[in-house]
Amino acid sequence: QVHLVESGGGLVQAGVSLRLSCAASGRTFSSYVAAWFRQAPGKERDFVAAIRWSGDSYYADSVKGRFTISRDNAKNTVYLQMNSLKPEDTAVYYCAADRAYGSRRRSASDFDSWGQGTQVTVSS
């Protein structure tokens, strides 16, 4: 497993932007898929975005065109750039990682390593 720590959450107004970061601790010696999930109170933990070792990225329909996932391998860090934020984006955001899959995965159960979460609150 890889130890992950999220940062960058906060309270923002609708329509503005925010960037989340997910840093991996120590050194890694293999390829990983990195993803972002979010969970609102009383709701399921939902897929947001992912990026595979090949650079392939994919998104939930609800954030497509607004959010961008990226990575900096030299810093062992994955980012989630969130633009045009809406109140319905309010949730705890988690980063996750696992082995490099040969296909796109969107289920939380497919990922073994998780960060502690960072709160994003979007006011209207």
Side-chain angles (χ1 to χ4, degrees):
Q1 292 184 329
V2 178
H3 183 64
L4 305 172
V5 178
E6 304 98 331
S7 62
L11 173 63
V12 298
Q13 188 177 355
V16 302
S17 298
L18 201 61
R19 188 176 76 161
L20 306 182
S21 298
C22 176
S25 64
R27 301 171 64 186
T28 58
F29 302 96
S30 60
S31 299
Y32 290 91
V33 178
W36 289 93
F37 290 78
R38 66 187 183 186
Q39 187 169 23
K43 292 195 172 185
E44 187 83 13
R45 184 172 297 188
D46 291 329
F47 172 80
V48 177
I51 185 166
R52 299 197 286 174
W53 66 270
S54 64
D56 174 53
S57 60
Y58 50 102
Y59 301 86
D61 288 341
S62 59
V63 306
K64 197 173 300 181
R66 297 190 297 122
F67 291 10
T68 303
I69 187 170
S70 62
R71 68 186 181 192
D72 187 334
N73 290 336
K75 297 181 179 180
N76 291 321
T77 301
V78 178
Y79 304 96
L80 184 67
Q81 178 67 44
M82 305 184 294
N83 298 328
S84 302
L85 283 164
K86 305 175 181 179
E88 51 262 46
D89 294 320
T90 295
V92 177
Y93 283 70
Y94 300 89
C95 62
D98 210 304
R99 74 187 76 181
Y101 292 106
S103 61
R104 292 178 170 184
R105 303 297 179 100
R106 299 172 182 263
S107 298
S109 61
D110 291 328
F111 294 84
D112 290 335
S113 299
W114 291 86
Q116 82 288 347
T118 184
Q119 177 71 47
V120 173
T121 302
V122 184
S123 65
S124 60

